[in-house]
C-alpha cells in the first residue's frame, strides 16, 4: 500500500499543474501544422466573404438611393424606447379612426374583437363593438344561412366580399389588409404616418392617370388612395382635437399594435430578464469570489505515514 501511494506521489498526480506560458500555448495551436496552400485558401475564403458582404450592403444602399420615393423621417414615437410601452389611449383613438375612416376600404381579417380586451377596450366595450356588426353564419339545423350579431370571437369584417369586388370599387387597385401593414412596410409606423400626411400637388412633369394622386412617400409617387385624413374628419370620444396629424399618429399607433400585439409583453419580458440576470450575475460573482476561489486555490498534499 505504501509503495502504491509512493508511486502516485512520484508521478505528481496529486500536485497542481503550473499554468501554461505563451510558448506552450502557441505550441497547442493547430495553425502551426497548416500548409501554405491551406493558409492561402482560408485567407481567400475570408476575403471573399467580406467582399460579398460589402457588395450586398453597397447594393442595398444604392437601391434605396435610386428609388423614386422619399424616405420617411424618423418620428419620436412614445413606444420607441427599449422598455417603452404603447400609448393605449392612442391605440383606442386609432381604432376609432380605422372604424370610421379606414374600414370603408381596408380589411383587418386577422384581428378579432376579443383582441381589444385589456388593450384599448374593456370586455363590455369589446362586446358592444362586436354586436354592432352583422355576421352571416350557418348553416343551421335546416341547412339555411342566417345573419346574427357579432361576437367577441368574430374578426373585423371586410368591406368587400372578395378581391375582385375590391378592385372594381377602387379603379383596379386592391386595398391591402392592414392587420400587419406596419411590419410589412419598410419604415414601419414612420412610413404609415408620412404616407397619410404626405399628399401634395404633383410637381411639373409628373403626369397622373385618372383616379391617381401624388404622394412622394409612395413608390413611384402615384397612389390610387385619395387623401382621407383631414382636420376634424371625425370626433374623438375623449375630446382630443382631431387634427390630421393627430389622426395619422393615432391610427399609426393602432396599426403598430395590430402588427405586433406582443409588443408590450416582449418589453416586459426584457425587464424581467434583465432583473433576473442581474441577480444571477451577482450571485455567481459571490459564489466565485467567496466559495469557489477557496476551492480552486487550495493545495492538497499527501504525506504518507512513516513505517
Amino acid at each position: 500500500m505504501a509503495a502504491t501511494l509512493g508511486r502516485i506521489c512520484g508521478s505528481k498526480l496529486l500536485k497542481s499543474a503550473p499554468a501554461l506560458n505563451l510558448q506552450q500555448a502557441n505550441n497547442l495551436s493547430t495553425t502551426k501544422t497548416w500548409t501554405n496552400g491551406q493558409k492561402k485558401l482560408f485567407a481567400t475564403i475570408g476575403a471573399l466573404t467580406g467582399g460579398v458582404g460589402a457588395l450586398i450592403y453597397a447594393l442595398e444602399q444604392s437601391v434605396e438611393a435610386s428609388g423614386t420615393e422619399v424616405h420617411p423621417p424618423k418620428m419620436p414615437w412614445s413606444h420607441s424606447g427599449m422598455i417603452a410601452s404603447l400609448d393605449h389611449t392612442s391605440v383606442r383613438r386609432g381604432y376609432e379612426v380605422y372604424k370610421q375612416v379606414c374600414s370603408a376600404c381596408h380589411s383587418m381579417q386577422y384581428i378579432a374583437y376579443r383582441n381589444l380586451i385589456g388593450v384599448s377596450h374593456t370586455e363590455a366595450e369589446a362586446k358592444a363593438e362586436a354586436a354592432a356588426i352583422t355576421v352571416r353564419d350557418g348553416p343551421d339545423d335546416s341547412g339555411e344561412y342566417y345573419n346574427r350579431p357579432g361576437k367577441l370571437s368574430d374578426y373585423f369584417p371586410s368591406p368587400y366580399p372578395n378581391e375582385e369586388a375590391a378592385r372594381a370599387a377602387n379603379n383596379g387597385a386592391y386595398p391591402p389588409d392592414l392587420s400587419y401593414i406596419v411590419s410589412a412596410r419598410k419604415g414601419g409606423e414612420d412610413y404609415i404616418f408620412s404616407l397619410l400626411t404626405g399628399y401634395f400637388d404633383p410637381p411639373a412633369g409628373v403626369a397622373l392617370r385618372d383616379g391617381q394622386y401624388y404622394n412622394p412617400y409612395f413608390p413611384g409617387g402615384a397612389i390610387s388612395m385619395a387623401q382621407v385624413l383631414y382636420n376634424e374628419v371625425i370626433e374623438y370620444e375623449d375630446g382630443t382635437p382631431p387634427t390630421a396629424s393627430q389622426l395619422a399618429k393615432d391610427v399609426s399607433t393602432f396599426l403598430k399594435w395590430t402588427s405586433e400585439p406582443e409588443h408590450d409583453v416582449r418589453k416586459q419580458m426584457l425587464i424581467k430578464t434583465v432583473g433576473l440576470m442581474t441577480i444571477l450575475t451577482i450571485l455567481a460573482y459571490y459564489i466565485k469570489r467567496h466559495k469557489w476561489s477557496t476551492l480552486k486555490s487550495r493545495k492538497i498534499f499527501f504525506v504518507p505515514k512513516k513505517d
Side-chain angles (χ1 to χ4, degrees):
M1 183 66 180
T4 302
L5 292 177
R7 287 196 297 271
I8 294 176
C9 295
S11 60
K12 301 180 179 181
L13 292 178
L14 296 181
K15 294 183 179 180
S16 60
L20 296 176
N21 56 32
L22 181 60
Q23 182 61 34
Q24 292 173 328
N26 289 333
N27 292 334
L28 296 177
S29 175
T30 58
T31 58
K32 295 292 185 179
T33 61
W34 288 1
T35 63
N36 290 333
Q38 289 177 324
K39 293 180 180 180
K40 292 179 180 179
L41 175 61
F42 282 105
T44 303
I45 293 175
L48 290 176
T49 303
V52 170
L55 178 61
I56 293 175
Y57 177 78
L59 289 175
E60 181 182 2
Q61 296 300 316
S62 63
V63 169
E64 291 184 0
S66 62
T68 57
E69 71 274 10
V70 176
H71 299 292
K74 187 68 175 177
M75 300 295 177
W77 299 98
S78 61
H79 57 266
S80 60
M82 183 176 294
I83 58 174
S85 65
L86 291 168
D87 184 354
H88 289 258
T89 57
S90 182
V91 172
R92 183 185 179 101
R93 291 194 300 267
Y95 168 75
E96 296 180 41
V97 177
Y98 168 78
K99 176 184 175 182
Q100 301 184 45
V101 181
C102 307
S103 63
C105 297
H106 295 273
S107 63
M108 297 192 77
Q109 59 179 333
Y110 300 109
I111 304 299
Y113 286 97
R114 65 172 178 265
N115 299 132
L116 299 175
I117 300 176
V119 178
S120 58
H121 294 70
T122 63
E123 183 175 352
E125 290 173 335
K127 286 182 178 179
E129 291 292 331
I133 66 172
T134 301
V135 178
R136 184 170 176 79
D137 204 349
D140 55 13
D141 295 338
S142 59
E144 300 293 334
Y145 286 86
Y146 59 94
N147 294 328
R148 62 167 176 81
K151 301 182 295 185
L152 287 176
S153 58
D154 291 322
Y155 291 82
F156 289 5
S158 175
Y160 306 104
N162 49 61
E163 181 177 342
E164 288 72 18
R167 291 186 181 278
N170 292 277
N171 297 322
Y174 179 61
D177 184 86
L178 299 183
S179 301
Y180 302 107
I181 195 67
V182 169
S183 298
R185 296 294 184 269
K186 186 176 179 63
E189 58 268 42
D190 294 326
Y191 169 78
I192 302 299
F193 179 86
S194 300
L195 183 72
L196 293 174
T197 58
Y199 286 85
F200 301 96
D201 294 330
V206 175
L208 300 176
R209 298 196 302 267
D210 292 339
Q212 289 188 330
Y213 307 88
Y214 181 73
N215 191 316
Y217 295 101
F218 189 77
I223 185 172
S224 296
M225 182 181 74
Q227 184 175 0
V228 294
L229 299 184
Y230 299 92
N231 293 334
E232 300 180 355
V233 69
I234 67 170
E235 292 184 3
Y236 283 130
E237 291 180 353
D238 60 1
T240 301
T243 61
S245 59
Q246 182 68 48
L247 297 170
K249 179 255 184 184
D250 290 334
V251 75
S252 298
T253 305
F254 172 70
L255 295 177
K256 174 68 174 179
W257 168 73
T258 61
S259 296
E260 300 179 19
E262 79 290 348
H263 179 275
D264 289 356
V265 177
R266 185 177 68 244
K267 293 189 176 181
Q268 288 176 353
M269 288 300 298
L270 174 62
I271 297 175
K272 294 178 181 179
T273 301
V274 171
L276 180 60
M277 292 304 297
T278 300
I279 295 175
L280 292 178
T281 301
I282 295 174
L283 181 61
Y285 175 78
Y286 172 80
I287 293 175
K288 172 68 170 62
R289 181 66 180 83
H290 299 281
K291 300 296 183 182
W292 171 247
S293 61
T294 58
L295 298 176
K296 182 180 179 181
S297 59
R298 69 178 181 175
K299 295 183 178 180
I300 300 176
F301 294 95
F302 176 79
V303 179
K305 294 182 179 180
K306 296 181 178 180
D307 295 338

